[in-house]
Amino acid sequence: MKFIVYNVRDDEIPFIEKWGKDHGIEVKYTTTTLNQETVEEAAGFDGVSCLQTIPYSAELFESFKKMGIKYLSLRNVGVDNIDLPAAKENGVRITNVPAYSPESIAEFAVMMSLYLSRKVGYMRQQLDQKHQFHFSPNFMGRLMSEQTVGVLGTGRIGRAAIKLFKGLGASVIAYDKYPQKTTDESFVYVKSLDDLYNQSDIISIHMPATEANYHQFNHEVFEQMKDTALLINTARGSIVDTDDLMYALQSGEIAGAGIDTIENESADLQDSRSTKQVTNPDVLKLSMMPNVLITPHSAFHTSEAVKNMIDISLGNLEMMMSGKIPADLVD
């Protein structure tokens, strides 16, 4: 039994080496992204662990079948970038890690909300341009306790975010196609998405990407939102129409945005050793706006999360190789 781990970051290496030693299993790791050109590195291995947001194509799973590889274990939650029918057709089982550290992403969403609510971007811009501070109307922020936070998606991450926002005194409303049976009185479900858009001072997205919610946040939705509202996306880039978001920010349809994930993320973004300059024009434009905080898909990135992602991903491979069915099997 031996496994290969793709797209490895430097901070994952100690956890990978420890897991292999503790379980007596050979585990090789590589920093390369898994694609049709690099899949040959997996020759001779029984299972693959991977973390990336770029596509896993049908051709890739055809290569898996030719190489006799039956297991792909993700170190992340989302599977929207996987050709699942092709995986099934080629006899490849997929697992993910649905709960590596909900608190890590929830804390990041709250951090972004506080950064934007207290106008830190405007302060930084003034310091960078003038190398001095003076009192400005642009610096006046809002207390979290003065705001209504709309949480879109009440799974593990959404509920962790609700707990933190509630702890800061915010009023919390939420929407989910599949609502929880009880809210413990910590938040209230609204009847419709329109209610969430209209009532929220901050909207924090915590739902998986699907075909149905592709570009759910578009020009029509931004027009519905308050012109003082903030949008926080630590979920998936495809949920937000980037062009419409930039227009909304520049025209004043909404007041600001925290963007940890954006459409069409490149492999370089997730390469911890990459020294390439950012060239994505959308990222560059957003990074220059004082009412935007944009980060490189890092909301998950804490020591607890990294350890859990490695342990659960490799553990799922071991279970499948042993003939067991992991709870994290993607159907």
Side-chain angles (χ1 to χ4, degrees), residues 267-280:
D268 289 334
L269 184 67
Q270 294 170 11
D271 183 354
S272 61
R273 290 183 171 86
S274 176
T275 58
K276 294 181 179 178
Q277 289 187 326
V278 175
T279 58
N280 184 317

Side-chain angles (χ1 to χ4, degrees), residues 252-269:
E253 285 180 345
I254 64 172
I259 304 298
D260 185 54
T261 176
I262 194 168
E263 294 184 272
N264 305 314
E265 291 176 356
S266 68
D268 289 334
L269 184 67

Side-chain angles (χ1 to χ4, degrees), residues 49-256:
S49 170
C50 199
L51 170 64
Q52 63 191 51
T53 57
I54 66 172
Y56 299 84
S57 66
E59 292 77 16
L60 184 65
F61 292 119
E62 289 169 7
S63 296
F64 268 43
K65 184 176 183 179
K66 291 176 183 176
M67 298 165 68
I69 298 173
K70 299 179 180 179
Y71 309 113
L72 171 63
S73 182
L74 307 181
R75 303 198 296 282
N76 57 283
V77 181
V79 296
D80 53 294
N81 55 328
I82 297 177
D83 190 329
L84 291 173
K88 185 174 183 179
E89 184 179 337
N90 287 281
V92 180
R93 284 189 163 185
I94 310 288
T95 60
N96 67 347
V97 184
Y100 43 80
S101 177
E103 294 78 12
S104 297
I105 297 173
E107 283 187 6
F108 206 86
V110 173
M111 178 277 293
M112 285 184 143
S113 300
L114 290 168
Y115 177 101
L116 294 164
S117 291
R118 297 306 299 269
K119 304 292 183 70
V120 178
Y122 290 93
M123 300 178 197
R124 290 181 57 85
Q125 184 186 66
Q126 188 174 97
L127 181 63
D128 290 343
Q129 291 177 352
K130 299 181 180 180
H131 303 290
Q132 62 182 4
F133 280 123
H134 62 80
F135 288 109
S136 165
N138 286 336
F139 290 177
M140 188 173 69
R142 298 184 65 187
L143 288 172
M144 194 61 66
S145 57
E146 294 178 335
Q147 302 186 72
T148 296
V149 177
V151 174
L152 188 49
T154 54
R156 295 180 181 91
I157 299 171
R159 293 198 305 276
I162 288 169
K163 182 178 179 181
L164 294 173
F165 280 119
K166 193 71 177 177
L168 289 169
S171 298
V172 182
I173 59 176
Y175 180 85
D176 198 308
K177 287 179 67 176
Y178 307 100
Q180 301 289 316
K181 292 181 180 179
T182 176
T183 65
D184 298 324
E185 299 183 354
S186 58
F187 67 98
V188 176
Y189 278 115
V190 292
K191 294 181 179 179
S192 69
L193 283 168
D194 288 341
D195 289 338
L196 189 93
Y197 301 148
N198 294 333
Q199 296 177 31
S200 299
D201 297 300
I202 299 170
I203 295 178
S204 192
I205 304 173
H206 299 289
M207 60 183 180
T210 64
E211 289 185 9
N213 63 30
Y214 177 75
H215 282 185
Q216 178 171 322
F217 283 83
N218 53 32
H219 181 61
E220 289 74 19
V221 170
F222 293 132
E223 282 190 318
Q224 282 184 258
M225 291 169 61
K226 297 180 181 181
D227 59 11
T228 55
L230 306 173
L231 177 67
I232 310 297
N233 186 12
T234 56
R236 285 295 201 189
S238 62
I239 298 171
V240 178
D241 185 313
T242 306
D243 290 338
D244 287 0
L245 172 65
M246 285 195 284
Y247 178 83
L249 291 164
Q250 292 168 332
S251 66
E253 285 180 345
I254 64 172

